[in-house]
Amino acid sequence: MKAAICVFPGSNCDRDMAVAFEKNIGTPPLMLWHKETALPKQLDLIILPGGFSYGDYLRAGCMAAHSPIMREVVNFAKQGGLVLGICNGFQILTESGLLPGALMRNASCRFVCREVFVKMENDKTVFSSAYEAASVHKIYIAHMEGNFQADEETLKTLENEKLIIWRYCDEAGSTNTNHSPNGSASNIAGIINLKGNVLGMMPHPERNADKDLSASLSGGKIFESLKKLCKQ
Amino acid sequence: MKAEIIITLKKSVRDPQGEAIAASLGRMGLDDIKQVRQGKHIEIEFGNKTTSEIETEIKLMCEKLLANPVIENYQVKMGK
């Protein structure tokens, strides 16, 4: 699988993602500086990593969404290319219009950095096919603006079209709002677009994809799902 | 020519930062505060373009970058 990770000024999870990707899928991803105006040929996947692009100035991800490389990423996505946005990457995806809604400041106004429980809500996507339906997983989050909000119509569409991939929950899988670390609407932790090729999530799969780093290997299953595409 | 842009959250959006500020004000003994909502104030100084050109640019800036139309509104005040 030929993948590229976009690096913006202030991105800081790009190298962890590159290591996790290569370890789990077998090929090293290309690193693309945000000022590039062309994508490498025959890319299968673009990853927008976590971090603080542009210092989160003005709004997290808003200036990165206007970086030269993002014009190419948007075209790539419109043509069906796979795009995976993690944390700041998810923020960039909403700011660029590739995903609906917005990521606002956590309701607690606290930066939350710990493992949380999430429930797999849709295992029928190319990013989530290796997960068991409705399974509960422990995964790292580290964010101050992970509070996903959208208008009622958008939230209804997300539910009806099964575009919610991850929801915050407790160990038993209850998605009661008490179990959300950031107050996001409907406990949303990750969503996919209607076409099924663009996924954004606040948790960090690259932090749960190596047995030397964490007991939970929940993040590794995303790479496992993507690896299935290579075999086809 | 200068423009002052005020960006505020839409009324339907919860403002946890505003709530935190209200709580702090309460702790200062100011107990008659019903609500606080926080926004952004951006000042832009322009060169020599006409007012009409500037107004068009400001609309573009606000809608594409300065405000997030999903959760924010904006108001513009032009001045010298």
Side-chain angles (χ1 to χ4, degrees):
Chain A
M1 162 158 285
K2 195 171 178 190
I5 300 175
C6 292
V7 184
F8 302 91
S11 293
N12 65 10
C13 302
D14 46 305
R15 282 164 293 167
D16 279 1
M17 178 52 84
V19 168
F21 185 93
E22 184 171 0
K23 201 160 188 176
N24 284 267
I25 293 200
T27 47
L30 300 162
M31 306 305 275
L32 273 183
W33 182 231
H34 76 115
K35 284 196 171 156
E36 297 289 341
T37 51
L39 294 176
K41 300 224 185 308
Q42 293 172 319
L43 264 188
D44 299 308
L45 168 71
I46 293 177
I47 300 174
L48 305 182
F52 297 88
S53 60
Y54 292 86
D56 277 1
Y57 291 173
L58 191 61
R59 291 183 312 278
C62 79
M63 287 192 268
H66 289 275
S67 279
I69 194 69
M70 280 307 296
R71 203 165 297 148
E72 303 306 311
V73 175
V74 169
N75 286 338
F76 176 80
K78 286 194 171 142
Q79 286 160 35
L82 300 181
V83 181
L84 173 63
I86 306 298
C87 203
N88 189 216
F90 186 9
Q91 292 158 344
I92 297 169
L93 286 174
T94 57
E95 286 285 345
S96 65
L98 283 176
L99 286 175
L103 279 322
M104 293 185 60
R105 178 146 296 193
N106 294 345
S108 62
C109 291
R110 287 202 181 102
F111 187 102
V112 184
C113 181
R114 58 180 167 88
E115 275 185 317
V116 294
F117 290 105
V118 288
K119 193 177 204 175
M120 168 43 64
E121 297 278 358
N122 182 351
D123 60 309
K124 305 275 183 284
T125 78
V126 298
F127 298 98
S128 57
S129 61
Y131 291 91
E132 220 179 273
S135 50
V136 174
H137 302 269
K138 229 177 175 187
I139 195 165
Y140 276 105
I141 60 168
H143 58 249
M144 176 62 123
E145 276 90 18
N147 180 354
F148 180 84
Q149 295 296 331
D151 59 32
E152 242 183 84
E153 207 189 310
T154 304
L155 291 174
K156 244 187 229 153
T157 305
L158 290 173
E159 296 283 357
N160 294 341
E161 302 292 334
K162 308 221 185 300
L163 303 179
I164 299 169
I165 303 297
W166 295 109
R167 248 189 262 261
Y168 299 110
C169 63
D170 69 1
E171 201 165 353
S174 158
T175 54
N176 185 296
T177 48
N178 290 343
H179 307 307
S180 168
N182 55 34
S184 63
S186 311
N187 281 30
I188 288 169
I191 58 171
I192 200 164
N193 65 341
L194 258 164
K195 240 163 63 180
N197 64 318
V198 180
L199 187 147
M201 57 191 280
M202 285 313 295
H204 287 264
E206 75 279 12
R207 297 187 192 186
N208 288 93
D210 184 332
K211 60 171 174 55
D212 293 332
L213 293 179
S214 55
S216 164
L217 297 178
S218 55
K221 289 199 180 298
I222 291 187
F223 300 114
E224 226 180 282
S225 307
L226 291 168
K227 211 171 172 182
K228 284 193 200 174
L229 298 173
C230 308
K231 295 195 172 137
Q232 287 167 11
Chain B
M1 175 140 286
K2 284 191 177 152
E4 275 179 35
I5 301 163
I6 308 248
I7 296 161
T8 50
L9 287 173
K10 291 184 171 171
K11 290 274 178 265
S12 55
V13 178
R14 185 181 164 194
D15 181 10
Q17 290 178 102
E19 289 170 13
I21 293 167
S24 288
L25 293 173
R27 285 191 289 276
M28 283 167 67
L30 306 164
D31 56 7
D32 191 37
I33 293 170
K34 286 176 78 175
Q35 191 186 65
V36 174
R37 287 178 75 79
Q38 182 183 262
K40 287 174 202 162
H41 171 224
I42 298 179
E43 291 175 359
I44 304 182
E45 199 177 317
F46 290 89
N48 299 313
K49 288 197 170 161
T50 64
T51 304
S52 154
E53 284 171 321
I54 288 172
E55 280 172 354
T56 307
E57 284 188 0
I58 289 177
K59 186 167 189 283
L60 178 73
M61 285 181 209
C62 287
E63 287 173 8
K64 291 287 173 190
L65 182 68
L66 301 182
N68 181 334
V70 176
I71 46 168
E72 291 172 331
N73 292 320
Y74 67 90
Q75 289 165 282
V76 184
K77 211 163 70 174
M78 302 295 294
K80 297 245 164 80

